[in-house]
């Protein structure tokens, strides 16, 4: 049994993770932490992460908290030789470099996935493949209106993966002018990213490729938070066998 602590236990993702960990025969939920105390699924929620890591001695800490809290949570877990499995978005490249160094220094593997849904990972891999042949591309990501950060980690990672296989270039008309600020979206090496925030959505993304007389659209929809759970459970089981920092669910699928 792998001992797991869930941080962000009272959140939308945290509650779903607690149920998934409890339902898995190879995982044992040993503790739950959030900013406020409470109870989820019969489990007491503590408020002091450092004390909870000492008290429950988990092997893995799952983190679904907030973009402004995740980095310090991860560094704290690594300092106590607990492996972080991180779903919280908003970690910068600099943060990731520091996490990688801390993971190596503490001989404690860490895992970060901007998206734990298998379909979303396949969407990104397909997008990278298509971009070699159809390099004109824009990304539209659509999320619920409680999401704190934009663009989504998935949109940013998709753009990064596409950028690895095509030369950066400006898209659209060379003389185009925005008559409303930001109407053409964010610019990632020339790839435009558009973020939609509305009630009714969970997590969705379209990657639209344009070519002569044709378009190709790859779309993924997470219609419920349970879509992320097989990925989170798999990461909890595999993280201790990794080394340093691993980023992306695709790295542990095979
Ligand atoms: P949420 O409902 O706001 O849950 C976050 C929870 O963490 C809240 O209960 C929050 O408390 C708590 N929290 C905030 N700071 C904390 C800290 N320092 N220590 C412990 N707990 C803290 O958000 P969510 O929808 O579950 O999403 C959480 C994160 O996961 C977001 O960054 C989201 O983008 C990401 N996400 C990732 C994936 C993926 O596949 N990687 C999928 C879905 C969501 P308060 O409400 O009091 O602040």
């Amino acid at each position: 049994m792998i001992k797991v602590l869930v941080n962000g236990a009272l959140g939308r993702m945290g509650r779903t993770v607690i149920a998934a960990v409890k339902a898995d025969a190879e995982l044992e939920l040993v503790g739950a932490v959030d900013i406020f105390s409470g109870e989820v699924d019969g489990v007491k929620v503590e408020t002091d992460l450092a004390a909870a890591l000492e008290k429950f001695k988990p092997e893995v800490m799952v983190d679904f908290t907030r973009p402004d809290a995740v980095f310090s949570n991860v560094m704290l877990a690594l300092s106590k030789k607990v492996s972080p499995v991180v779903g919280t978005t908003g970690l910068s490249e600099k943060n990731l470099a520091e996490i990688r160094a801390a993971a190596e220094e503490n001989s404690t593997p860490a895992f970060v996935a901007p998206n734990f849904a298998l379909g979303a990972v396949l969407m990104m891999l397909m997008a990278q493949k298509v971009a070699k042949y159809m390099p004109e591309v824009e990304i539209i990501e659509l999320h619920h209106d409680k999401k704190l950060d934009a663009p989504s980690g998935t949109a940013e990672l998709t753009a990064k993966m596409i950028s690895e296989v095509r030369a950066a270039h400006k898209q659209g008309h060379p003389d185009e002018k925005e008559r409303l600020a930001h109407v053409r979206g964010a610019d990632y090496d020339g790839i435009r990213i558009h973020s939609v925030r509305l009630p009714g959505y969970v997590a969705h993304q379209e990657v639209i490729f344009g070519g002569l007389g044709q378009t190709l659209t790859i779309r993924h929809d997470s219609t419920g938070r349970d879509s992320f759970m097989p990925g989170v459970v798999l990461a909890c089981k595999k993280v201790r066998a990794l080394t340093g920092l691993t980023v992306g669910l695709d790295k542990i699928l095979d």
Side-chain angles (χ1 to χ4, degrees), residues 31-247:
V33 175
D34 203 292
I35 286 274
F36 297 109
S37 57
E39 201 185 285
V40 183
D41 220 352
V43 181
K44 185 171 181 301
V45 177
E46 318 260 335
T47 54
D48 185 336
L49 179 61
L53 291 171
E54 294 282 346
K55 181 171 149 193
F56 298 118
K57 306 210 178 323
E59 292 157 277
V60 175
M61 176 195 76
V62 178
D63 191 289
F64 279 97
T65 57
R66 291 167 55 110
D68 55 0
V70 56
F71 179 67
S72 58
N73 296 339
V74 170
M75 295 303 267
L76 181 62
L78 286 172
S79 74
K80 297 194 181 298
K81 300 201 178 290
V82 176
S83 282
V85 165
V86 181
T88 316
T89 47
L91 287 169
S92 65
E93 290 294 331
K94 184 170 172 281
N95 290 157
L96 291 173
E98 286 178 46
I99 291 170
R100 190 180 301 280
E104 281 163 10
E105 205 172 292
N106 290 288
S107 307
T108 305
F111 182 79
V112 175
N115 201 314
F116 275 101
L118 174 63
V121 173
L122 295 174
M123 168 188 63
M124 288 186 261
L125 292 173
M126 280 186 247
Q128 192 180 43
K129 204 161 193 175
V130 174
K132 273 192 209 165
Y133 306 98
M134 298 180 78
E136 304 294 301
V137 52
E138 302 210 5
I139 298 170
I140 306 174
E141 56 98 341
L142 312 93
H143 280 79
H144 59 89
D145 61 349
K146 302 286 182 294
K147 185 166 174 56
L148 286 173
D149 54 333
S152 69
T154 308
E156 201 169 0
L157 182 57
T158 308
K160 182 168 184 265
M161 287 170 68
I162 289 174
S163 214
E164 285 165 12
V165 299
R166 65 158 229 173
H169 63 277
K170 186 177 177 348
Q171 295 186 174
H173 196 286
D175 299 329
E176 84 180 359
K177 296 258 173 329
E178 285 188 327
R179 290 189 299 101
L180 277 179
H182 314 304
V183 71
R184 289 283 292 119
D187 184 332
Y188 188 110
D189 286 350
I191 303 163
R192 293 291 173 168
I193 303 178
H194 313 267
S195 296
V196 178
R197 297 288 177 268
L198 284 172
Y201 283 127
V202 178
H204 317 258
Q205 181 168 293
E206 281 186 9
V207 188
I208 308 172
F209 297 90
L212 273 181
Q214 59 190 314
T215 63
L216 171 63
T217 302
I218 306 172
R219 180 173 172 117
H220 176 259
D221 297 277
S222 275
T223 51
R225 291 186 173 81
D226 43 355
S227 63
F228 304 115
M229 292 308 113
V232 174
V233 166
L234 181 71
C236 288
K237 291 178 185 174
K238 290 208 168 176
V239 64
R240 298 295 280 185
L242 302 170
T243 44
L245 169 66
T246 304
V247 181

